[in-house]
Amino acid sequence: MKTTNILILTFLAATLTLVSCEKNRTKPEPTHQKDIVRTITTDSYTAEFIYDEDTTLSRIDMQYHMAGNSSTGTVNFIWSNDRLDIENSSEGYTLKYSFTIENGRAAAMFSNERETPTATFEYDTEGHLSHITWTDEYKDTFTWKNGNMTAVSGTMDAEIGYGDIVNNTNLDFIHIISPGCLSQISYPYSSLIGLLGTSSANMPESESCYIDGYEALKITYSYNLDEDGRITAVDINSGGHKSTVKIGY
């Protein structure tokens, strides 16, 4: 009888340990299908995001509509264990980029199949992007506070302010809809897909962008949410020019 009780207790202990381990997993849960960004529509283009079976971004189909003209383009993402190749094709040209990947983050970027890197990337102990060093030895430095990128200095200078809206979509789309310095960080699409370290915890409300030779650009962002708390539209005021970006799921 005692032997039976010991076996039962051992089984329960093992079961509780297994349940505890399951609850304490550190790997993030996959993005729920209904929360995956499918389309982004701006004044000048519509982007449709195509994913493979495990919700990894594989392609962006672009439809441009500027000044009464329309054209199309495609961005292909070709993943391997330690490398990402990006082919950005539009009518009449193709640009190619490659990223070497270490510990899930970009280590270096190569453009148009060159053998020397266009840029190399450094990160802090929390996985945030801290520096980008370019081929010409110019360096951008990134400042973080409370989980948000608050300043950039170097080839461009920016100050970014944040509100309470959580940045929790599967794509960090602020980096392609920003008309200022935040869009420069994404080139080509690296911040969009989270390849440049941990994203900001919140969505920005303001951005002051300074690029040599250009007048300082002041930008504000406001957000529209649906009943599930998802961002469905972003209202942008950039130097007095107002626009709305729509997000589809």
Side-chain angles (χ1 to χ4, degrees):
M1 188 69 176
K2 287 183 179 180
T3 302
T4 302
N5 288 338
I6 290 172
L7 289 173
I8 292 173
L9 290 173
T10 302
F11 173 78
L12 289 174
T15 303
L16 290 172
T17 300
L18 179 61
V19 170
S20 176
C21 289
E22 289 289 317
K23 289 183 177 179
N24 290 319
R25 280 181 176 174
T26 56
K27 184 179 180 181
E29 293 295 324
T31 304
H32 194 282
Q33 288 289 329
K34 73 179 182 66
D35 296 328
I36 294 174
V37 174
R38 304 288 180 180
T39 58
I40 291 178
T41 304
T42 74
D43 291 339
S44 57
Y45 68 82
T46 296
E48 181 181 1
F49 300 92
I50 311 299
Y51 304 89
D52 62 17
E53 62 277 2
D54 66 350
T55 68
T56 299
L57 184 64
S58 61
R59 191 175 82 244
I60 305 175
D61 290 337
M62 304 292 298
Q63 180 73 47
Y64 302 99
H65 38 83
M66 295 180 287
N69 297 318
S70 63
S71 61
T72 60
T74 302
V75 182
N76 285 304
F77 297 81
I78 305 163
W79 298 85
S80 64
N81 290 333
D82 56 0
R83 182 184 176 95
L84 169 64
D85 294 315
I86 298 177
E87 294 183 356
N88 187 356
S89 301
S90 190
E91 297 174 4
Y93 73 91
T94 297
L95 298 176
K96 296 182 179 181
Y97 303 91
S98 296
F99 290 88
T100 55
I101 302 172
E102 296 177 3
N103 300 317
R105 299 188 291 262
M109 180 180 77
F110 300 80
S111 58
N112 290 328
E113 300 179 344
R114 293 177 180 172
E115 294 183 359
T116 57
T118 305
T120 57
F121 309 98
E122 300 172 50
Y123 304 88
D124 62 22
T125 56
E126 296 181 346
H128 296 128
L129 179 66
S130 59
H131 298 95
I132 299 178
T133 302
W134 301 93
T135 302
D136 52 16
E137 296 185 355
Y138 281 103
K139 178 177 282 191
D140 289 319
T141 299
F142 302 87
T143 301
W144 295 78
K145 184 177 180 181
N146 298 326
N148 290 314
M149 180 191 295
T150 57
V152 185
S153 61
T155 58
M156 55 185 170
D157 293 285
E159 296 176 359
I160 306 112
Y162 294 85
D164 296 328
I165 295 179
V166 177
N167 181 18
N168 59 0
T169 59
N170 67 306
L171 298 178
D172 200 2
F173 59 77
I174 195 66
H175 290 289
I176 61 169
I177 71 172
S178 165
C181 291
L182 285 174
S183 67
Q184 303 297 317
I185 302 168
S186 73
Y187 191 84
Y189 304 103
S190 46
S191 287
L192 170 72
I193 55 178
L195 201 59
L196 294 187
T198 306
S199 301
S200 291
N202 300 95
M203 300 298 293
E205 286 189 344
S206 64
E207 179 185 351
S208 297
C209 180
Y210 310 87
I211 299 177
D212 287 346
Y214 294 89
E215 184 177 350
L217 184 61
K218 307 287 186 179
I219 306 163
T220 60
Y221 302 92
S222 59
Y223 302 89
N224 299 310
L225 308 179
D226 65 12
E227 60 185 10
D228 293 321
R230 302 177 304 185
I231 299 170
T232 56
V234 186
D235 295 319
I236 303 173
N237 188 329
S238 174
H241 174 73
K242 296 182 180 180
S243 62
T244 298
V245 176
K246 297 180 179 179
I247 314 298
Y249 300 87

